[in-house]
mmCIF file of all heavy atoms in Angstrom:
data_model
loop_
_atom_site.group_PDB
_atom_site.id
_atom_site.type_symbol
_atom_site.label_atom_id
_atom_site.label_comp_id
_atom_site.label_asym_id
_atom_site.label_seq_id
_atom_site.Cartn_x
_atom_site.Cartn_y
_atom_site.Cartn_z
ATOM 1 N N ARG G 12 -9.788 3.784 -8.111
ATOM 2 C CA ARG G 12 -10.982 3.700 -7.256
ATOM 3 C C ARG G 12 -11.638 2.393 -7.291
ATOM 4 O O ARG G 12 -12.136 1.893 -6.259
ATOM 5 C CB ARG G 12 -12.006 4.822 -7.668
ATOM 6 C CG ARG G 12 -11.489 6.165 -7.256
ATOM 7 C CD ARG G 12 -12.563 7.195 -7.576
ATOM 8 N NE ARG G 12 -12.015 8.522 -7.340
ATOM 9 C CZ ARG G 12 -12.792 9.593 -7.139
ATOM 10 N NH1 ARG G 12 -14.111 9.462 -7.194
ATOM 11 N NH2 ARG G 12 -12.219 10.757 -6.871
ATOM 12 N N ALA G 13 -11.662 1.713 -8.449
ATOM 13 C CA ALA G 13 -12.250 0.365 -8.548
ATOM 14 C C ALA G 13 -11.418 -0.668 -7.847
ATOM 15 O O ALA G 13 -11.926 -1.646 -7.310
ATOM 16 C CB ALA G 13 -12.411 0.005 -10.026
ATOM 17 N N LEU G 14 -10.101 -0.521 -7.792
ATOM 18 C CA LEU G 14 -9.141 -1.495 -7.236
ATOM 19 C C LEU G 14 -8.764 -1.266 -5.840
ATOM 20 O O LEU G 14 -8.416 -2.242 -5.152
ATOM 21 C CB LEU G 14 -7.919 -1.594 -8.171
ATOM 22 C CG LEU G 14 -8.069 -2.064 -9.548
ATOM 23 C CD1 LEU G 14 -6.762 -1.899 -10.309
ATOM 24 C CD2 LEU G 14 -8.562 -3.540 -9.610
ATOM 25 N N MET G 15 -8.822 -0.075 -5.358
ATOM 26 C CA MET G 15 -8.150 0.190 -4.060
ATOM 27 C C MET G 15 -8.744 -0.569 -2.910
ATOM 28 O O MET G 15 -8.037 -0.874 -1.939
ATOM 29 C CB MET G 15 -8.090 1.704 -3.761
ATOM 30 C CG MET G 15 -9.488 2.346 -3.540
ATOM 31 S SD MET G 15 -9.259 4.091 -3.352
ATOM 32 C CE MET G 15 -10.352 4.415 -1.931
ATOM 33 N N GLY G 16 -9.950 -0.931 -2.921
ATOM 34 C CA GLY G 16 -10.542 -1.697 -1.812
ATOM 35 C C GLY G 16 -10.407 -3.159 -1.999
ATOM 36 O O GLY G 16 -10.728 -3.947 -1.021
ATOM 37 N N ARG G 17 -9.934 -3.588 -3.135
ATOM 38 C CA ARG G 17 -9.871 -5.008 -3.405
ATOM 39 C C ARG G 17 -8.432 -5.584 -3.404
ATOM 40 O O ARG G 17 -8.235 -6.795 -3.333
ATOM 41 C CB ARG G 17 -10.471 -5.309 -4.791
ATOM 42 C CG ARG G 17 -12.018 -5.047 -4.795
ATOM 43 C CD ARG G 17 -12.562 -5.157 -6.208
ATOM 44 N NE ARG G 17 -14.020 -5.074 -6.254
ATOM 45 C CZ ARG G 17 -14.683 -3.982 -6.227
ATOM 46 N NH1 ARG G 17 -14.071 -2.811 -6.191
ATOM 47 N NH2 ARG G 17 -16.002 -4.016 -6.215
ATOM 48 N N LEU G 18 -7.416 -4.731 -3.597
ATOM 49 C CA LEU G 18 -6.077 -5.202 -3.637
ATOM 50 C C LEU G 18 -5.360 -4.761 -2.376
ATOM 51 O O LEU G 18 -5.601 -3.775 -1.780
ATOM 52 C CB LEU G 18 -5.326 -4.598 -4.898
ATOM 53 C CG LEU G 18 -5.916 -4.925 -6.201
ATOM 54 C CD1 LEU G 18 -5.123 -4.214 -7.343
ATOM 55 C CD2 LEU G 18 -5.856 -6.448 -6.486
ATOM 56 N N ASP G 19 -4.328 -5.590 -1.961
ATOM 57 C CA ASP G 19 -3.533 -5.196 -0.853
ATOM 58 C C ASP G 19 -2.494 -4.182 -1.300
ATOM 59 O O ASP G 19 -2.394 -3.907 -2.498
ATOM 60 C CB ASP G 19 -2.863 -6.441 -0.212
ATOM 61 C CG ASP G 19 -2.015 -7.194 -1.173
ATOM 62 O OD1 ASP G 19 -1.194 -6.621 -1.885
ATOM 63 O OD2 ASP G 19 -2.162 -8.447 -1.258
ATOM 64 N N GLU G 20 -1.738 -3.617 -0.377
ATOM 65 C CA GLU G 20 -0.872 -2.506 -0.752
ATOM 66 C C GLU G 20 0.275 -2.927 -1.669
ATOM 67 O O GLU G 20 0.655 -2.119 -2.551
ATOM 68 C CB GLU G 20 -0.338 -1.819 0.525
ATOM 69 C CG GLU G 20 0.541 -2.678 1.350
ATOM 70 C CD GLU G 20 0.927 -2.022 2.664
ATOM 71 O OE1 GLU G 20 0.004 -1.695 3.454
ATOM 72 O OE2 GLU G 20 2.095 -1.740 2.863
ATOM 73 N N ALA G 21 0.748 -4.139 -1.592
ATOM 74 C CA ALA G 21 1.857 -4.593 -2.407
ATOM 75 C C ALA G 21 1.342 -4.728 -3.850
ATOM 76 O O ALA G 21 2.020 -4.339 -4.784
ATOM 77 C CB ALA G 21 2.393 -5.904 -1.914
ATOM 78 N N THR G 22 0.210 -5.334 -4.030
ATOM 79 C CA THR G 22 -0.350 -5.539 -5.342
ATOM 80 C C THR G 22 -0.795 -4.207 -5.971
ATOM 81 O O THR G 22 -0.581 -3.946 -7.178
ATOM 82 C CB THR G 22 -1.562 -6.481 -5.299
ATOM 83 O OG1 THR G 22 -1.207 -7.636 -4.579
ATOM 84 C CG2 THR G 22 -1.936 -6.938 -6.706
ATOM 85 N N LEU G 23 -1.258 -3.289 -5.174
ATOM 86 C CA LEU G 23 -1.655 -1.984 -5.694
ATOM 87 C C LEU G 23 -0.438 -1.214 -6.116
ATOM 88 O O LEU G 23 -0.452 -0.516 -7.104
ATOM 89 C CB LEU G 23 -2.413 -1.170 -4.525
ATOM 90 C CG LEU G 23 -3.300 -0.116 -4.951
ATOM 91 C CD1 LEU G 23 -4.339 -0.595 -5.951
ATOM 92 C CD2 LEU G 23 -3.965 0.537 -3.748
ATOM 93 N N ARG G 24 0.678 -1.347 -5.406
ATOM 94 C CA ARG G 24 1.953 -0.689 -5.776
ATOM 95 C C ARG G 24 2.397 -1.228 -7.129
ATOM 96 O O ARG G 24 2.867 -0.453 -7.965
ATOM 97 C CB ARG G 24 2.964 -0.940 -4.696
ATOM 98 C CG ARG G 24 4.266 -0.332 -4.896
ATOM 99 C CD ARG G 24 5.299 -0.522 -3.771
ATOM 100 N NE ARG G 24 5.523 -1.894 -3.410
ATOM 101 C CZ ARG G 24 5.120 -2.458 -2.293
ATOM 102 N NH1 ARG G 24 4.608 -1.795 -1.317
ATOM 103 N NH2 ARG G 24 5.379 -3.770 -2.068
ATOM 104 N N LEU G 25 2.322 -2.554 -7.312
ATOM 105 C CA LEU G 25 2.730 -3.135 -8.645
ATOM 106 C C LEU G 25 1.849 -2.656 -9.764
ATOM 107 O O LEU G 25 2.265 -2.368 -10.902
ATOM 108 C CB LEU G 25 2.741 -4.647 -8.553
ATOM 109 C CG LEU G 25 3.895 -5.275 -7.688
ATOM 110 C CD1 LEU G 25 3.654 -6.754 -7.546
ATOM 111 C CD2 LEU G 25 5.225 -4.983 -8.313
ATOM 112 N N TRP G 26 0.503 -2.558 -9.477
ATOM 113 C CA TRP G 26 -0.412 -2.094 -10.472
ATOM 114 C C TRP G 26 -0.085 -0.632 -10.896
ATOM 115 O O TRP G 26 -0.028 -0.333 -12.072
ATOM 116 C CB TRP G 26 -1.851 -2.164 -9.985
ATOM 117 C CG TRP G 26 -2.777 -1.461 -10.872
ATOM 118 C CD1 TRP G 26 -3.366 -1.887 -12.075
ATOM 119 C CD2 TRP G 26 -3.272 -0.097 -10.746
ATOM 120 N NE1 TRP G 26 -4.110 -0.898 -12.616
ATOM 121 C CE2 TRP G 26 -4.062 0.180 -11.843
ATOM 122 C CE3 TRP G 26 -3.028 0.911 -9.813
ATOM 123 C CZ2 TRP G 26 -4.684 1.441 -11.986
ATOM 124 C CZ3 TRP G 26 -3.685 2.130 -9.944
ATOM 125 C CH2 TRP G 26 -4.479 2.361 -11.059
ATOM 126 N N ALA G 27 0.223 0.219 -9.890
ATOM 127 C CA ALA G 27 0.533 1.569 -10.196
ATOM 128 C C ALA G 27 1.775 1.664 -10.991
ATOM 129 O O ALA G 27 1.934 2.512 -11.894
ATOM 130 C CB ALA G 27 0.679 2.394 -8.848
ATOM 131 N N ALA G 28 2.762 0.826 -10.719
ATOM 132 C CA ALA G 28 4.027 0.813 -11.456
ATOM 133 C C ALA G 28 3.765 0.375 -12.897
ATOM 134 O O ALA G 28 4.348 0.965 -13.855
ATOM 135 C CB ALA G 28 4.988 -0.189 -10.795
ATOM 136 N N VAL G 29 2.902 -0.550 -13.155
ATOM 137 C CA VAL G 29 2.547 -1.023 -14.513
ATOM 138 C C VAL G 29 1.889 0.101 -15.256
ATOM 139 O O VAL G 29 2.223 0.406 -16.426
ATOM 140 C CB VAL G 29 1.696 -2.243 -14.496
ATOM 141 C CG1 VAL G 29 1.143 -2.569 -15.882
ATOM 142 C CG2 VAL G 29 2.478 -3.468 -13.968
ATOM 143 N N GLU G 30 0.998 0.842 -14.580
ATOM 144 C CA GLU G 30 0.333 1.973 -15.253
ATOM 145 C C GLU G 30 1.394 3.072 -15.568
ATOM 146 O O GLU G 30 1.325 3.653 -16.691
ATOM 147 C CB GLU G 30 -0.703 2.559 -14.376
ATOM 148 C CG GLU G 30 -1.965 1.682 -14.176
ATOM 149 C CD GLU G 30 -2.793 1.562 -15.475
ATOM 150 O OE1 GLU G 30 -2.783 2.538 -16.307
ATOM 151 O OE2 GLU G 30 -3.427 0.560 -15.651
ATOM 152 N N ALA G 31 2.294 3.384 -14.659
ATOM 153 C CA ALA G 31 3.285 4.370 -14.930
ATOM 154 C C ALA G 31 4.228 3.987 -16.046
ATOM 155 O O ALA G 31 4.540 4.820 -16.902
ATOM 156 C CB ALA G 31 4.122 4.624 -13.640
ATOM 157 N N ARG G 32 4.627 2.719 -16.067
ATOM 158 C CA ARG G 32 5.453 2.269 -17.155
ATOM 159 C C ARG G 32 4.820 2.317 -18.531
ATOM 160 O O ARG G 32 5.406 2.628 -19.499
ATOM 161 C CB ARG G 32 5.949 0.848 -16.896
ATOM 162 C CG ARG G 32 7.074 0.420 -17.747
ATOM 163 C CD ARG G 32 7.796 -0.814 -17.278
ATOM 164 N NE ARG G 32 6.861 -1.919 -17.115
ATOM 165 C CZ ARG G 32 7.227 -3.158 -16.742
ATOM 166 N NH1 ARG G 32 8.485 -3.352 -16.463
ATOM 167 N NH2 ARG G 32 6.351 -4.078 -16.604
ATOM 168 N N SER G 33 3.525 2.098 -18.583
ATOM 169 C CA SER G 33 2.770 2.097 -19.801
ATOM 170 C C SER G 33 2.618 3.549 -20.377
ATOM 171 O O SER G 33 2.498 3.726 -21.591
ATOM 172 C CB SER G 33 1.381 1.467 -19.670
ATOM 173 O OG SER G 33 0.488 2.318 -18.937
ATOM 174 N N LEU G 34 2.764 4.540 -19.527
ATOM 175 C CA LEU G 34 2.636 5.960 -19.982
ATOM 176 C C LEU G 34 3.959 6.505 -20.403
ATOM 177 O O LEU G 34 3.991 7.596 -20.929
ATOM 178 C CB LEU G 34 2.043 6.805 -18.849
ATOM 179 C CG LEU G 34 0.617 6.543 -18.501
ATOM 180 C CD1 LEU G 34 0.238 7.367 -17.270
ATOM 181 C CD2 LEU G 34 -0.336 6.701 -19.632
ATOM 182 N N ALA G 35 5.033 5.840 -20.182
ATOM 183 C CA ALA G 35 6.388 6.261 -20.521
ATOM 184 C C ALA G 35 6.770 7.550 -19.744
ATOM 185 O O ALA G 35 6.550 7.612 -18.606
ATOM 186 C CB ALA G 35 6.551 6.402 -22.042
ATOM 187 N N ARG G 36 7.290 8.519 -20.464
ATOM 188 C CA ARG G 36 7.801 9.743 -19.797
ATOM 189 C C ARG G 36 6.691 10.454 -19.080
ATOM 190 O O ARG G 36 5.592 10.765 -19.639
ATOM 191 C CB ARG G 36 8.426 10.651 -20.846
ATOM 192 C CG ARG G 36 9.029 11.868 -20.276
ATOM 193 C CD ARG G 36 9.793 12.687 -21.323
ATOM 194 N NE ARG G 36 10.246 13.923 -20.843
ATOM 195 C CZ ARG G 36 11.438 14.096 -20.179
ATOM 196 N NH1 ARG G 36 12.188 13.069 -19.964
ATOM 197 N NH2 ARG G 36 11.791 15.261 -19.776
ATOM 198 N N GLY G 37 6.945 10.765 -17.789
ATOM 199 C CA GLY G 37 5.979 11.492 -16.978
ATOM 200 C C GLY G 37 4.913 10.562 -16.371
ATOM 201 O O GLY G 37 3.949 11.033 -15.712
ATOM 202 N N GLY G 38 5.066 9.244 -16.586
ATOM 203 C CA GLY G 38 4.036 8.307 -16.131
ATOM 204 C C GLY G 38 4.012 8.234 -14.603
ATOM 205 O O GLY G 38 2.816 8.177 -14.041
ATOM 206 N N VAL G 39 5.058 8.328 -13.945
ATOM 207 C CA VAL G 39 5.071 8.220 -12.485
ATOM 208 C C VAL G 39 4.363 9.448 -11.933
ATOM 209 O O VAL G 39 3.577 9.261 -11.005
ATOM 210 C CB VAL G 39 6.545 8.126 -11.923
ATOM 211 C CG1 VAL G 39 6.539 8.208 -10.451
ATOM 212 C CG2 VAL G 39 7.187 6.801 -12.378
ATOM 213 N N SER G 40 4.636 10.641 -12.436
ATOM 214 C CA SER G 40 4.016 11.829 -11.882
ATOM 215 C C SER G 40 2.508 11.761 -12.207
ATOM 216 O O SER G 40 1.675 12.126 -11.286
ATOM 217 C CB SER G 40 4.579 13.098 -12.494
ATOM 218 O OG SER G 40 5.903 13.192 -12.091
ATOM 219 N N THR G 41 2.116 11.265 -13.381
ATOM 220 C CA THR G 41 0.674 11.216 -13.693
ATOM 221 C C THR G 41 -0.065 10.284 -12.790
ATOM 222 O O THR G 41 -1.152 10.587 -12.298
ATOM 223 C CB THR G 41 0.513 10.815 -15.215
ATOM 224 O OG1 THR G 41 1.238 11.709 -16.007
ATOM 225 C CG2 THR G 41 -0.963 10.720 -15.576
ATOM 226 N N VAL G 42 0.540 9.124 -12.570
ATOM 227 C CA VAL G 42 -0.128 8.074 -11.709
ATOM 228 C C VAL G 42 -0.167 8.579 -10.264
ATOM 229 O O VAL G 42 -1.183 8.404 -9.588
ATOM 230 C CB VAL G 42 0.604 6.725 -11.808
ATOM 231 C CG1 VAL G 42 0.106 5.791 -10.728
ATOM 232 C CG2 VAL G 42 0.477 6.149 -13.219
ATOM 233 N N ALA G 43 0.899 9.299 -9.820
ATOM 234 C CA ALA G 43 0.896 9.808 -8.454
ATOM 235 C C ALA G 43 -0.191 10.853 -8.294
ATOM 236 O O ALA G 43 -0.863 10.810 -7.266
ATOM 237 C CB ALA G 43 2.250 10.406 -8.141
#
Side-chain angles (χ1 to χ4, degrees):
R12 286 183 185 201
L14 293 173
M15 68 184 221
R17 293 173 172 84
L18 299 178
D19 57 49
E20 64 187 63
T22 312
L23 203 56
R24 180 176 58 244
L25 289 173
W26 169 81
V29 168
E30 289 291 333
R32 192 166 57 177
S33 72
L34 295 176
R36 183 172 173 87
V39 172
S40 294
T41 302
V42 171

